[in-house]
Amino acid sequence: MPEGYGRAAHEARRVPRLDIAGAARHPEPSMTDVPRRGPLGPFLALAALFLVVRGTFVASAADVFFYAEELEKGAAAKALLDGIHVNYARLPFHPYEGGGFVASHLKAVAFLIVGPSLLAHKLVALFTSILVLAAGYALCVRHASRRAGVLFGVLFTFAPIAFQKLSLLSLGIHFEAIAFVFVVLDRGLTLLRAPTLRRGDLVVLGLAVGFGTYFSYQVALAAAWVVLVAMVRRRALFAPRVLAAGFSAFLVGFAPWLAMYAAVGAEMFDIHGSELVGERPSGLAALRSLLGATLSAPPVELVRCL
């Protein structure tokens, strides 16, 4: 047996395999767990391809135009520029949609550049879509491979038509929030697998969870997954100093939500007329409600959803 073969075989066995939860199967991370970083070339090529495809949709009027909710974000942007006598916290149509208010600020910048137009809406949509692409590509490269990152980029670009149109609706809520979900999963997996805990990863994770939750409540679900896996796989993340660093960053990112709550109160939990923290069906009642809504939908609609 060649010298060093036994050690190499031993190290090969220590390379972690990700389970469904995404955590390494062995309790102590090894140096093989350090996330890899790929070159920028493949990502820049994917970003250029994405802009060509989506830009073609915009130039050929193949997108959804004059969508009321998208124009509502633009109305808030115009109000930001015109300085009308309306309380700042009352400018967003739905106060709980922090991402929508962020989109309004981005559209205000676009209005200053190209004027208040549909083109401004689509430029913001292209910009936020590139952010989602970048976050997803980074997640795949760091925790899988460069090939996985390229595959993600290609699938993201040539997705089904409904997804492509949704990515060009500049609403600033559900679709754009995927970028924060990717960052939370990326930094969460890094902290779960890296041999040492880095303050930078904690800060980025805390900021992404805090501001991402303000952006869209769906980001909190990704954060809950990271916490649950950490409770099982890496309890060192719950050391007082580690928690203090992460929670401090979370509070900084969550500050816009706290400011809005101070201004509008319980409206931050009013989701289109349904109270987020109010009485809702639970257990079997919730399951029956979900199944009833699914079975009552037309078969064509179910196929389209799939």
Side-chain angles (χ1 to χ4, degrees):
M1 178 181 298
E3 183 179 356
Y5 176 81
R7 178 179 298 178
H10 174 71
E11 291 298 325
R13 286 194 297 271
R14 286 182 58 80
V15 176
R17 292 180 296 135
L18 296 182
D19 55 17
I20 295 177
R25 293 184 180 276
H26 54 78
E28 293 298 329
S30 69
M31 290 303 295
T32 57
D33 296 326
V34 179
R36 56 181 70 84
R37 295 182 180 180
L40 284 177
F43 169 73
L44 294 177
L46 289 170
L49 177 63
F50 177 86
L51 291 175
V52 168
V53 173
R54 295 301 200 277
T56 302
F57 287 172
V58 173
S60 60
D63 188 22
V64 179
F65 290 109
F66 294 105
Y67 185 72
E69 192 171 357
E70 183 178 47
L71 298 181
E72 169 256 308
K73 306 296 189 294
K78 194 69 168 61
L80 286 170
L81 295 176
D82 294 345
I84 64 175
H85 298 290
V86 176
N87 187 286
Y88 178 76
R90 291 295 178 183
L91 290 179
F93 187 68
H94 297 295
Y96 75 91
E97 290 183 354
F101 204 25
V102 172
S104 293
H105 285 76
L106 293 176
K107 291 180 181 187
V109 175
F111 287 174
L112 291 175
I113 298 174
V114 299
S117 60
L118 284 171
L119 176 60
H121 287 276
K122 299 312 169 186
L123 290 178
V124 172
L126 290 173
F127 172 72
T128 53
S129 295
I130 287 294
L131 295 182
V132 176
L133 174 62
Y137 177 82
L139 172 65
C140 293
V141 171
R142 287 185 181 130
H143 302 284
S145 66
R146 192 186 311 170
R147 180 179 299 178
V150 172
L151 180 60
F152 166 81
V154 172
L155 293 176
F156 184 80
T157 300
F158 296 102
I161 188 65
F163 180 88
Q164 295 188 21
K165 285 187 174 183
L166 183 60
S167 68
L168 288 177
L169 278 177
S170 184
L171 304 180
I173 42 177
H174 311 298
F175 172 78
E176 292 87 342
I178 300 175
F180 290 97
V181 172
F182 285 154
V183 173
V184 170
L185 296 179
D186 180 13
R187 294 300 93 190
L189 284 171
T190 298
L191 290 169
L192 289 168
R193 302 172 62 195
T196 57
L197 299 179
R198 298 187 304 176
R199 186 180 300 272
D201 292 327
L202 290 168
V203 171
V204 172
L205 178 61
L207 290 173
V209 173
F211 192 76
T213 301
Y214 163 71
F215 199 93
S216 174
Y217 290 149
Q218 71 189 58
V219 178
L221 299 177
W225 174 88
V226 172
V227 171
L228 290 175
V229 176
M231 291 174 63
V232 177
R233 298 293 185 175
R234 195 161 197 186
R235 297 181 182 178
L237 289 172
F238 296 94
R241 293 181 62 182
V242 175
L243 281 178
F247 189 68
S248 298
F250 166 80
L251 288 179
V252 173
F254 200 55
W257 189 96
L258 295 175
M260 288 293 291
Y261 180 77
V264 303
E267 290 184 41
M268 293 298 290
F269 301 106
D270 186 353
I271 313 300
H272 294 285
S274 299
E275 292 295 332
L276 185 64
V277 294
E279 294 185 2
R280 288 175 172 270
S282 59
L284 293 178
L287 181 60
R288 285 195 296 267
S289 177
L290 175 62
L291 290 177
T294 303
L295 295 176
S296 62
V300 175
E301 293 298 324
L302 293 176
V303 172
R304 290 180 61 186
C305 291
L306 296 175

